[in-house]
């Protein structure tokens, strides 16, 4: 029996990208200037950054969305399966996930960290979450660890008895970690961020589950570094995907 690992965090790494503010400008300026080269768009950006900032802001504000599609970011994500279920509802993305049929799953399980709010108040669609009592926090950690360990022991017993991986895995709970590559462009990422982060300063507040928000926050930080003007315009215009 391998050691069972419990984690309370998410992994998000950028593995490949072609995503720059100049890609947005390049695509948008074909409307008014005809054929562009990436070099001329980059040169124009260096020559007149204020104009570029203005154009990107205009595109965002007036929801001209397609110039934000000519770029690509591939992320490697490790998160529990209940997060992937929510993640993969975002159809404007490409996914490849590890297989529980073709490989034996590793015993890594999510357990809420001590800082994870546990008590739900409010109404459906707009819940707030408050810290649990020390007893609730301890109970949650204990129950998650007990059930995850028992489930993985069952899984192992079935594999040892010759049962196929695709059958044995059905006993594993949703808090087991999986891994995937996900590729998005800036437009689809903005839609994802608008729905999967909770911010006070948005036109359309969302109330995502904290664990997918932890992934979204890491993706947002990476994207902000790649496309700073687009990122600023997204925030300045209420975090609405154009
Ligand atoms: C807080 C929260 C709670 C949620 N609760 C539930 C729930 O209880 N049950 C549940 O089932 N889901 C739930 N969802 C999932 C939600 O309904 C969406 O499926 C998910 O957020 C993906 O959003 P999306 O369709 O905009 O993204 P994407 O699939 O990436 O689509 C991006 C955009 O492309 C366009 N688009 C994509 N596909 C189509 C299409 N077929 N037809 C027309 N336009 C399309 C739309 O403009 C869409 O906004 C919840 C989501 C959030 C954020």
């Amino acid at each position: 029996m391998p050691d069972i690992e419990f984690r309370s965090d998410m992994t998000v790494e950028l593995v490949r990208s072609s995503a720059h503010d100049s890609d947005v400008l390049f695509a948008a300026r074909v409307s008014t200037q005809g054929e562009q080269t990436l070099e001329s768009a980059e040169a124009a950006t260096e020559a007149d950054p204020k104009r570029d900032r203005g154009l990107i802001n205009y595109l965002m504000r007036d929801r001209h969305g397609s110039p934000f599609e000519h770029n690509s970011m591939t992320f490697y994500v490790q998160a529990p399966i209940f997060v992937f279920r929510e993640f993969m509802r975002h159809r404007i993305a490409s996914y490849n996930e590890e297989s529980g049929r073709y490989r034996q799953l590793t015993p890594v399980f999510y357990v809420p960290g001590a800082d994870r709010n546990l008590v739900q108040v409010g109404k459906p669609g707009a819940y707030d979450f408050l810290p649990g009592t020390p007893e609730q926090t301890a109970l949650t950690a204990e129950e998650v660890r007990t059930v995850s360990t028992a489930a993985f022991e069952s899984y192992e017993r079935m594999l040892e008895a010759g049962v196929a991986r695709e059958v044995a895995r059905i006993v594993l709970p949703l808090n087991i970690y999986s891994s995937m590559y996900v590729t998005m462009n800036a437009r689809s990422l903005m839609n994802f961020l608008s729905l999967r982060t909770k911010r006070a300063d948005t036109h359309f507040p969302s109330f995502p589950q904290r664990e997918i928000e932890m992934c979204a926050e890491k993706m947002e930080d990476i994207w902000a570094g790649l496309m700073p003007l687009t990122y600023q315009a997204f925030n300045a215009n209420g975090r609405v995907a154009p």
Side-chain angles (χ1 to χ4, degrees):
M1 163 71 57
D3 287 343
I4 296 186
E5 184 186 343
F6 289 94
R7 293 177 53 183
S8 304
D9 63 332
M10 310 294 155
T11 297
V12 175
E13 293 165 3
L14 183 73
V15 292
R16 185 179 301 135
S17 71
S18 175
H20 311 277
D21 291 321
S22 55
D23 300 330
V24 180
L25 300 162
F26 166 82
R29 286 188 173 133
V30 77
S31 298
T32 54
Q33 295 172 21
E35 187 182 2
Q36 301 278 300
T37 65
L38 211 45
E39 291 74 27
S40 67
E42 279 163 6
T45 297
E46 281 164 26
D48 195 349
K50 199 168 159 214
R51 201 162 140 255
D52 293 343
R53 188 183 299 271
L55 176 55
I56 288 178
N57 192 61
Y58 156 74
L59 295 168
M60 193 76 71
R61 188 194 66 213
D62 284 19
R63 304 196 67 207
H64 295 291
S66 53
F68 297 100
E69 296 172 6
H70 299 269
N71 57 81
S72 173
M73 289 162 274
T74 300
F75 300 95
Y76 172 72
V77 182
Q78 285 178 353
I81 286 179
F82 68 86
V83 170
F84 278 16
R85 277 189 66 169
E86 294 186 345
F87 213 128
M88 290 185 183
R89 297 300 305 279
H90 294 264
R91 294 158 289 179
I92 312 302
S94 303
Y95 299 97
N96 279 94
E97 184 184 0
E98 73 175 272
S99 169
R101 298 182 69 204
Y102 303 140
R103 62 176 297 197
Q104 189 171 330
L105 296 174
T106 46
V108 183
F109 293 91
Y110 176 74
V111 62
D115 58 345
R116 203 306 187 186
N117 288 344
L118 293 180
V119 179
Q120 176 181 300
V121 293
K123 56 182 187 193
Y127 289 123
D128 272 320
F129 290 84
L130 306 175
T133 62
E135 292 75 22
Q136 287 169 325
T137 303
L139 176 70
T140 302
E142 179 59 26
E143 295 291 352
V144 169
R145 285 170 186 270
T146 302
V147 169
S148 305
T149 303
F152 202 79
E153 286 170 356
S154 271
Y155 176 67
E156 292 268 280
R157 278 195 296 276
M158 280 189 273
L159 292 181
E160 279 160 20
V163 174
R165 289 182 291 259
E166 69 180 31
V167 177
R169 69 165 170 181
I170 67 176
V171 298
L172 295 171
L174 292 177
N175 67 324
I176 192 165
Y177 275 74
S178 188
S179 61
M180 68 170 174
Y181 291 115
V182 52
T183 300
M184 290 182 172
N185 61 47
R187 188 182 193 184
S188 59
L189 179 61
M190 284 187 269
N191 185 61
F192 178 81
L193 296 177
S194 71
L195 292 166
R196 301 300 183 180
T197 58
K198 184 180 178 191
R199 299 287 174 88
D201 54 343
T202 60
H203 285 351
F204 304 104
S206 190
F207 298 87
Q209 170 135 3
R210 178 60 194 142
E211 285 78 9
I212 194 168
E213 188 181 38
M214 290 159 70
C215 293
E217 286 171 352
K218 292 188 170 197
M219 293 165 74
E220 178 163 345
D221 286 348
I222 293 168
W223 174 58
L226 295 172
M227 302 179 75
L229 296 184
T230 306
Y231 180 63
Q232 284 165 23
F234 174 60
N235 282 313
N237 290 281
R239 294 173 67 86
V240 178

